[in-house]
Amino acid sequence: MVSVKREREAEVDDDDEDRVAPKIIRGRVVEDRRSRHCPYLDTINRSVLDFDFEKLCSISLSHINVYACLICGKYFQGRGLKSHAYTHSVQFTHHVFLNLHTLKFYCLPDNYEIIDSSLEDITYVLKPTFTKQHIAGLDKQGKLYRAYDGTTYLPGIVGLNNIKANDYANVVLQAFSNVPPLRNYFLEEENYKGIRRPPGDIMFLLVQRFGELMRKLWNPRNFKAHVSPHEMLQAVVLCSKKNFQITKQGDAVDFMTWFLNALHGALGGTKKKPSIITKAFQGSMRIFSKKLPHPDLLPEEKEALLVTEEYQEQMSESTFLFLTLDLPTAPLYKDEKEQLIIPQVPLFNILGKFNGSTEKEYKTYKENFLKRFQLTKLPPYLVFCIKRFTKNNFFVEKNPTIVNFPITNVDLREYLTEEAQVTEKNTTYDLVANVVHDGKPTEGAYRIHVLHHGTGKWYEMQDLQVTDILPQMITLSEAYIQIWKRQGGDDDTNNHTVA
């Protein structure tokens, strides 16, 4: 019973204490404890403060009414008498605490609020905010900022912790954080704060956590030059029903596919109703599909079927958030001279899949189809997924073929229908992000190349490691996911408001 009582005492809304008016005892006004100069501010240790982790009390594991001790960095529940924060304060003589929800500072065990402008840097690290002017200037300058730990960094070019095996998610999050319209939308919480969701809907947590991560990655006043995606990834584990985990390596394309669709839905987007996701990435194509007779049939039976309506070519329209590019089959057997040669293919060869005439056979469990594709609308940001992995019942095989591509000026006009070639003004793209998979199919590692728009320089990020890289080195890697930006600005994604 005692422990339950203490827990309830700790969970009381401590802000009620702050609303108490100054008391008058025996005709004297007792000092108002709501705010006072604190003699312990110089004991704050900013180097141990880390707000990237789940806001849970380190003792009760409750997320209600949690305070951060600014001397040791640990989280405790409550600040009333017998609460965990109060006990910690008395036991270790740590006096300055921050309420992680209200962003108010308190001195314990005296229990008064501290109001001091020197603490603003701490609240900004906990909850960075961006003005429209700040956001508008992000891609126009390349100023280096100094973190509290002394390291210099470029906002947006910041390493992400690999907690155990989450590099597959890190590279996707880094890629999207460098897509300006998507980044700008999530930096300003007002854009999605008012979106109505059904009661009990957990998917909106994904939106909130992604917004928080974007603001941390682009924070010019960080205490350290890296960020932990811990809270973001916990939301991923929860919202994906553990399909994607922190402790088990996943596939970056699988994660990206789920993440884009989950964000679109959580933002209130549907097939007919756009979101910032579809505004940035959605294009459309025509699919021409022709059913094939079973290969075991006799030639005359095949001929008879081919003239029936069921086996005539059908055309359908479809939208896409990314395009899958197929690699030519890597040679199974190599002679001595070829053993050290890695096969290569030009990007335009594998883009031929979308020229409207190249046919490819697709096999399902029961039926086979011959399909060809042609693009009808290009998005402001075009995502390519290069199909490196083939899975069968026994193992996953990786195709190591290198794709040769230019970094800039990739013109896709020839892959559009004739009508689309007339309506689409700009069809030329520049690379802005390149996700790479190194090593074996199931135990490899991911890294990413991103273009910093302000400086025009390329950077390679692999978890916490951030290094600059020459553009010509990017084309030598086993590219897996690429994001291309259409030349001529982001004018068609500027309207961020989702109805």
Side-chain angles (χ1 to χ4, degrees):
M1 281 299 291
V2 175
S3 62
V4 172
K5 186 180 176 186
R6 285 186 180 180
E7 187 73 16
R8 283 175 181 163
E9 283 176 359
E11 289 183 7
V12 170
D13 183 0
D14 291 329
D15 287 343
D16 288 341
E17 297 173 24
D18 301 327
R19 301 187 190 106
V20 178
K23 294 180 181 177
I24 298 176
I25 301 174
R26 294 178 187 171
R28 277 189 313 133
V29 177
V30 176
E31 182 185 0
D32 184 356
R33 298 187 306 155
R34 286 183 294 178
S35 63
R36 192 195 303 172
H37 174 71
C38 180
Y40 302 111
L41 295 186
D42 60 347
T43 64
I44 294 172
N45 185 358
R46 284 169 172 79
S47 62
V48 300
L49 300 184
D50 190 342
F51 301 124
D52 291 348
F53 293 90
E54 195 175 2
K55 311 300 187 286
L56 287 179
C57 172
S58 57
I59 297 172
S60 68
L61 302 183
S62 169
H63 63 273
I64 298 169
N65 214 16
V66 177
Y67 289 77
C69 171
L70 302 187
I71 287 79
C72 65
K74 291 180 181 175
Y75 296 168
F76 299 98
Q77 187 182 21
R79 72 169 201 279
L81 202 63
K82 299 178 184 177
S83 68
H84 297 304
Y86 183 96
T87 306
H88 175 78
S89 170
V90 172
Q91 191 173 356
F92 294 95
T93 62
H94 292 177
H95 298 293
V96 189
F97 290 78
L98 168 62
N99 184 306
L100 296 174
H101 177 67
T102 65
L103 308 188
K104 290 181 179 180
F105 296 87
Y106 295 93
C107 180
L108 296 181
D110 296 353
N111 202 12
Y112 60 82
E113 184 182 352
I114 306 163
I115 297 175
D116 195 297
S117 59
S118 68
L119 302 173
E120 285 175 5
D121 63 328
I122 296 174
T123 51
Y124 194 86
V125 165
L126 175 58
K127 194 169 184 181
T129 52
F130 292 79
T131 63
K132 282 183 168 60
Q133 292 79 6
H134 186 177
I135 293 169
L138 285 176
D139 296 329
K140 294 173 184 171
Q141 53 89 20
K143 181 183 173 186
L144 283 169
Y145 290 84
R146 189 173 295 279
Y148 181 78
D149 64 5
T151 52
T152 55
Y153 70 100
L154 270 171
I157 308 295
V158 174
L160 282 175
N161 266 359
N162 188 350
I163 298 161
K164 188 167 182 185
N166 54 274
D167 53 325
Y168 73 95
N170 283 359
V171 289
V172 172
L173 297 171
Q174 292 279 22
F176 289 151
S177 83
N178 281 276
V179 173
L182 196 67
R183 174 203 66 199
N184 296 353
Y185 178 87
F186 281 97
L187 285 180
E188 207 174 346
E189 199 174 358
E190 294 301 315
N191 286 324
Y192 52 87
K193 211 173 183 179
I195 293 174
R196 292 178 184 173
R197 300 300 301 156
D201 174 58
I202 62 165
M203 296 306 285
F204 199 68
L205 184 65
L206 213 58
V207 174
Q208 293 170 319
R209 292 287 182 258
F210 187 57
E212 288 168 10
L213 182 66
M214 288 301 99
R215 291 189 284 277
K216 286 176 181 176
L217 286 172
W218 286 90
N219 181 3
R221 293 156 60 184
N222 268 328
F223 282 177
K224 54 192 187 312
H226 63 269
V227 170
S228 174
H230 193 264
E231 285 190 293
M232 173 77 243
L233 293 171
Q234 282 188 315
V236 166
V237 173
L238 179 68
C239 295
S240 71
K241 298 184 174 132
K242 298 186 179 178
N243 281 336
F244 300 101
Q245 304 216 18
I246 301 172
T247 54
K248 186 181 174 187
Q249 183 67 285
D251 182 276
V253 169
D254 290 347
F255 173 67
M256 183 192 74
T257 306
W258 172 83
F259 189 62
L260 282 176
N261 285 295
L263 274 185
H264 172 63
L267 289 166
T270 61
K271 282 189 177 180
K272 293 183 179 179
K273 188 178 176 183
S275 71
I276 188 62
I277 304 298
T278 52
K279 286 179 184 178
F281 300 115
Q282 186 171 279
S284 59
M285 68 169 85
R286 280 183 189 159
I287 303 172
F288 301 89
S289 183
K290 190 163 50 177
K291 189 175 175 182
L292 294 174
H294 196 279
D296 294 343
L297 293 175
L298 295 170
E300 54 268 27
E301 290 178 310
K302 288 181 184 178
E303 284 178 26
L305 286 174
L306 286 172
V307 296
T308 63
E309 189 178 340
E310 187 185 352
Y311 286 83
Q312 300 309 300
E313 188 172 70
Q314 309 286 325
M315 188 197 80
S316 60
E317 296 271 349
S318 176
T319 57
F320 63 84
L321 290 176
F322 60 87
L323 295 176
T324 302
L325 305 182
D326 305 314
L327 290 173
T329 308
L332 290 175
Y333 304 103
K334 300 177 182 178
D335 58 31
E336 289 178 6
K337 290 181 182 177
E338 286 183 321
Q339 274 186 354
L340 298 175
I341 299 172
I342 300 171
Q344 299 186 29
V345 62
L347 175 66
F348 291 101
N349 282 23
I350 56 176
L351 276 171
K353 174 182 178 179
F354 299 99
N355 61 13
S357 57
T358 301
E359 292 184 314
K360 188 187 174 189
E361 189 174 343
Y362 288 83
K363 296 180 180 180
T364 63
Y365 180 66
K366 290 182 178 179
E367 300 167 318
N368 294 353
F369 291 89
L370 211 56
K371 292 187 180 184
R372 56 192 179 92
F373 308 88
Q374 197 165 22
L375 306 180
T376 54
K377 183 177 179 292
L378 292 169
Y381 286 82
L382 185 59
V383 182
F384 291 156
C385 295
I386 297 165
K387 195 174 180 185
R388 292 208 169 271
F389 301 102
T390 48
K391 300 173 186 175
N392 59 32
N393 295 332
F394 304 103
F395 58 88
V396 179
E397 193 175 359
K398 182 181 176 184
N399 188 329
T401 301
I402 299 291
V403 178
N404 296 319
F405 54 90
I407 298 288
T408 57
N409 298 318
V410 170
D411 193 351
L412 301 175
R413 186 168 293 276
E414 65 181 282
Y415 307 105
L416 288 165
T417 59
E418 287 183 11
E419 309 94 284
Q421 287 185 21
V422 175
T423 55
E424 293 273 337
K425 292 177 186 174
N426 211 326
T427 57
T428 307
Y429 285 79
D430 299 331
L431 188 69
V432 294
N434 183 58
V435 171
V436 177
H437 182 272
D438 298 307
K440 295 178 182 177
T442 50
E443 43 187 78
Y446 288 94
R447 56 193 165 100
I448 183 171
H449 304 124
V450 294
L451 173 68
H452 185 266
H453 295 82
T455 60
K457 289 182 180 178
W458 281 90
Y459 290 86
E460 180 176 276
M461 293 188 278
Q462 185 163 19
D463 301 326
L464 294 180
Q465 290 183 319
V466 179
T467 52
D468 51 0
I469 184 171
L470 293 169
Q472 53 266 37
M473 299 299 291
I474 295 168
T475 61
L476 303 176
S477 56
E478 293 178 29
Y480 191 35
I481 300 170
Q482 295 184 328
I483 301 180
W484 296 78
K485 177 185 178 181
R486 182 162 58 192
Q487 292 179 359
D490 310 322
D491 47 337
D492 32 5
T493 59
N494 280 344
N495 180 17
H496 296 322
T497 308
V498 177

